[in-house]
Amino acid sequence: MEIHVFEGFGGVLQEVAFALVPLLIFFSIFQIFMLKLPMRRLGQVGIGFILTFLGLAFFLQGVHVGFMPIGEMMGQSLGEGATTWFLIPIGFILGFAATFAEPAVSIMNDEVDEVTGGYISARVMLYTLSIGVGLSIALSMLRILTDISLWYFLIPGYLSILILIFMSKDIFIAIAFDSGGVATGPMTVTFISSLAVGVSSVTDGSDPLADGFGMIALVAMTPIIAVLVLGLIFNRKGGRNTDES
């Protein structure tokens, strides 16, 4: 298979530029009227913008020429295998591993660790979100193989979230809903969704458009449940410690 690494790279550069230019304009306005940062600090910010531009451009190019095609090919190969039910644990493992490489997840976990003073550590958050995403991919594979409607997963899932909200502290509610957003980042959406589309395309009676992209709804839901459950565990542990003292 011949791969042209920089094919369409010009279009990617334009897309990234259109995404970053508004941020640069807003920063310039704030710099002129409010921030008034010294030149040394402005130079650091400028280097940061350049590195962000190059990083996003190369990442998106890698997605187009690498992640998405390979993910779809892997999905097709797994879907054509003799033991298709093995896709469920494979889906969990891939979802678990992809979360470790998700940049937004890493940033949010570090922020949670810093703001809570280590009460909710970055490592605990990482494993919690990884388990949540892994379960969502496993459920997606089950849904593709059994042709179960997405509603049978989403309705009970969000009803569970509503119940858990009334049992959780505000800090865990806020973190939980942010977790659902960061879990659906570029790593998950590109590689895992391509994998699901590949599996769906070779599965009889499955619609790649509905089954492959419906997976993202599950990925956004299960981390919320996982963090809310983590909050209940923390509350129970805190209550026990209080009783013991």
Side-chain angles (χ1 to χ4, degrees):
M1 181 178 63
E2 185 178 358
I3 299 177
H4 300 282
V5 176
F6 290 101
E7 183 178 358
F9 189 52
V12 172
L13 291 175
Q14 291 181 358
E15 293 176 5
V16 175
F18 286 140
L20 290 181
V21 164
L23 294 177
L24 185 59
I25 292 174
F26 274 108
F27 171 75
S28 301
I29 294 173
F30 273 83
Q31 166 64 17
I32 294 172
F33 295 101
M34 297 178 63
L35 298 176
K36 303 184 184 302
L37 298 175
M39 290 301 298
R40 181 178 179 181
R41 184 58 177 157
L42 279 179
Q44 294 175 341
V45 173
I47 293 174
F49 267 100
I50 294 173
L51 293 177
T52 301
F53 174 80
L54 295 175
L56 284 173
F58 282 112
F59 174 80
L60 291 175
Q61 184 66 13
V63 165
H64 292 315
V65 302
F67 266 15
M68 294 181 69
I70 295 301
E72 190 168 349
M73 289 170 60
M74 287 177 59
Q76 291 174 351
S77 299
L78 292 170
E80 292 173 346
T83 56
T84 53
W85 288 99
F86 197 59
L87 284 169
I88 297 175
I90 289 179
F92 177 84
I93 294 171
L94 290 174
F96 189 94
T99 311
F100 275 75
E102 190 66 67
V105 169
S106 177
I107 292 171
M108 194 195 77
N109 291 344
D110 290 339
E111 290 294 324
V112 170
D113 192 331
E114 181 180 350
V115 171
T116 61
Y119 175 66
I120 309 173
S121 68
R123 177 174 294 183
V124 170
M125 281 295 301
L126 177 60
Y127 282 114
T128 301
L129 295 182
S130 297
I131 291 172
V133 175
L135 288 174
S136 70
I137 307 304
L139 290 175
S140 299
M141 295 302 169
L142 175 64
R143 188 171 68 90
I144 293 173
L145 295 175
T146 58
D147 198 27
I148 300 175
S149 174
L150 185 64
W151 292 111
Y152 288 101
F153 295 98
L154 293 183
I155 293 177
Y158 280 103
L159 285 176
S160 301
I161 290 173
L162 289 175
I163 295 172
L164 289 170
I165 284 175
F166 292 102
M167 303 167 61
S168 304
K169 292 184 178 180
D170 290 343
I171 184 174
F172 283 100
I173 296 173
I175 294 172
F177 280 91
D178 280 347
S179 299
V182 299
T184 53
M187 291 294 295
T188 303
V189 174
T190 54
F191 179 72
I192 300 298
S193 63
S194 299
L195 181 76
V197 168
V199 172
S200 180
S201 64
V202 296
T203 302
D204 293 337
S206 181
D207 181 5
L209 185 61
D211 294 336
F213 290 96
M215 181 206 68
I216 305 302
L218 292 176
V219 175
M221 178 185 72
T222 50
I224 299 176
I225 297 175
V227 174
L228 291 176
V229 171
L230 176 68
L232 296 181
I233 296 173
F234 267 66
N235 293 341
R236 187 174 181 180
K237 182 179 178 182
R240 285 180 176 177
N241 293 340
T242 301
D243 295 337
E244 292 173 358
S245 59

